[in-house]
Amino acid sequence: MFSRRNLFGAVAGAAALPARGWAQTLRSSITGDSGTTLRRAGTEAGIVYGAAVNTGELREADFAAALAREAAILAPEYEMKRAIVEQMPDTYDFSGCDAILAFAHAHDMLFRGVPLVWHKRNPDWLEPAARQTKAESLVTGFIGKTAGHFRGRVHSWDVVNEAIAPEDGRPDRLRNSFWLQVYGPHYIDLAYHAARAADPGALLVYNDWGCELGAPANDRFRAATLDFLEQALARGVPIDALGLQGHMRAFGTPVDQKKLATFLAHVKTMGLRILVTEHDVDDSGGPSDVALRDRAVSDASRRFLDVMLDAGVIAILTWGLSDRFLDSPGWQAVLAGYRPRMLPLDSNLNRKPMWREMAAALAGR
């Protein structure tokens, strides 16, 4: 889960439902509006489409209206990170998440929780405390408090995020994070069992990126992910689903559709559901012509989503809905006329080729 926007500048009940029928529960007066939306296209395909959002974005009325039309599920972009929620030990602030949940509830949207355990975006006090005390409550306490706060109102939780890193050189191919150094691989088991106890009705997801593309490094990541999931499930770890973030590059390594389809088929044999959790397409490094970049972005998105949809993905979330809130990669890029165009709507909330390809992919299902 990597972000393309400034973390702290952005920060100042949808009911949990059975696995079958999430899309069908959305209110017809929303999904039945004249004209196609990604929300409606997803509903008709039995797939929930949504986006990550933060409270600052919701204060812009035109964007909020577009989000209500297009999305059927929301995820907090930053406000559920532990660095925001628990800035001081055992002192919790859910106000940002509660505001996003309230917006979701007001528009008959579902709500995702992200992420409960991650090696990034933690408060400064956490790692020193873990290394000093080795208290398992530093893993389970935050999960119990957070998942308990939203119990019964969350579609799915990204319980553990990005725990796999073959490049770190461990035989088990786990990321050599402070979580692993302090607690060993057992921290993963602790996290999922705590999440199940705190919110038993929600889908518990393992979320990562690295399985999507076609390079040799991605081959190794896919193999490591399958081993990780098989071993965790054999231990009785309650993982219900795999989330693939879906961060693509328009001018980088493409998706190998055959490799990805084979990998997803293996995941499904384990009885796991599959979600796309953070889809976007980085268009940096391409030509200055906006039409050419938009075409490359939409092609990369369609190539990825066609495979995911064929595999029976249950939800697709983009990491944002509009380019309006994306940070420029620097002043030189701004002077050169480059602005990121990575998401379905442009800065003026107009639908781009990426939106049209996503709608067509959903309609094809």
Side-chain angles (χ1 to χ4, degrees):
M1 176 181 295
F2 53 85
S3 173
R4 305 183 190 280
R5 282 168 269 194
N6 180 274
L7 172 61
F8 295 105
V11 176
L17 299 164
R20 300 177 188 276
W22 287 322
Q24 287 75 13
T25 62
L26 302 174
R27 193 175 67 197
S28 59
S29 63
I30 297 286
T31 60
D33 289 343
S34 60
T36 299
T37 64
L38 293 177
R39 176 173 181 151
R40 180 176 182 177
T43 299
E44 291 175 351
I47 296 162
V48 184
Y49 168 74
V53 68
N54 65 63
T55 51
E57 296 171 358
L58 292 179
R59 288 193 285 269
E60 299 196 15
D62 58 343
F63 172 78
L67 186 68
R69 287 192 302 270
E70 296 286 353
I73 185 170
L74 298 182
E77 185 179 17
Y78 296 125
E79 281 97 337
M80 201 172 275
K81 303 293 194 296
R82 192 162 180 173
I84 301 300
V85 171
E86 194 185 9
Q87 295 184 27
M88 299 294 293
D90 299 318
T91 302
Y92 292 86
D93 179 5
F94 296 112
S95 58
C97 302
D98 287 341
I100 295 170
L101 176 59
F103 182 90
H105 180 73
H107 296 90
D108 289 320
M109 297 173 171
L110 304 176
F111 183 73
R112 292 202 75 231
V114 296
L116 293 172
V117 178
W118 192 24
H119 61 286
K120 295 182 178 179
R121 303 295 186 254
N122 289 305
D124 292 340
W125 61 265
L126 178 60
E127 182 175 345
R131 292 189 182 279
Q132 180 180 0
T133 69
K134 303 187 187 305
E136 292 183 351
S137 61
L138 291 174
V139 180
T140 60
F142 176 77
I143 295 171
K145 189 74 172 182
T146 303
H149 179 83
F150 295 101
R151 181 184 177 110
R153 299 183 290 170
V154 170
H155 166 282
S156 49
W157 288 100
D158 289 344
V159 179
V160 175
N161 190 54
E162 299 176 358
I164 299 169
E167 65 274 16
D168 283 0
R170 290 175 52 91
D172 59 11
R173 294 173 288 189
L174 293 178
R175 182 181 299 279
N176 191 28
S177 66
F178 81 90
W179 294 116
L180 190 71
Q181 293 167 15
V182 173
Y183 301 102
H186 182 57
Y187 84 89
I188 295 165
D189 303 48
L190 285 171
Y192 280 95
H193 286 294
R196 178 66 85 221
D199 193 3
L203 275 179
L204 304 186
V205 181
Y206 175 70
N207 192 55
D208 216 323
W209 65 282
C211 295
E212 299 92 336
L213 303 179
N218 303 109
D219 296 338
R220 293 189 289 273
F221 205 99
R222 280 185 285 272
T225 301
L226 293 176
D227 287 345
F228 168 83
L229 293 171
E230 288 172 352
Q231 293 172 22
L233 293 171
R235 295 195 306 272
V237 178
I239 300 175
D240 300 315
L242 173 66
L244 297 189
Q245 294 178 13
H247 297 296
M248 304 285 108
R249 290 188 64 88
F251 303 101
T253 302
V255 169
D256 184 309
Q257 292 181 308
K258 183 177 180 179
K259 288 180 179 179
L260 181 57
T262 300
F263 166 77
L264 295 173
H266 283 300
V267 172
K268 292 183 70 177
T269 65
M270 301 181 203
L272 298 176
R273 298 185 179 95
I274 302 167
L275 301 82
V276 175
T277 57
E278 305 179 22
H279 181 45
D280 56 15
V281 184
D282 185 346
D283 67 327
S284 62
S288 58
D289 186 280
V290 169
L292 292 177
R293 284 196 285 122
D294 279 356
R295 184 73 264 161
V297 165
S298 64
D299 287 349
S301 178
R302 182 65 182 266
R303 185 176 181 84
F304 171 61
L305 292 180
D306 276 346
V307 181
M308 302 304 296
L309 289 162
D310 283 347
V313 65
I314 64 170
I316 297 171
L317 285 87
T318 47
W319 201 240
L321 177 65
S322 166
D323 298 333
R324 175 181 295 182
F325 308 104
L326 297 178
D327 286 339
S328 170
W331 64 269
Q332 291 176 317
V334 172
L335 291 177
Y338 170 76
R339 296 281 184 177
R341 295 179 64 84
M342 299 163 50
L343 293 167
L345 305 184
D346 70 13
S347 296
N348 296 316
L349 307 179
N350 297 312
R351 294 167 172 176
K352 294 159 47 188
M354 181 180 178
W355 182 97
R356 290 190 285 274
E357 288 294 343
M358 291 181 67
L362 290 165
R365 301 308 184 281

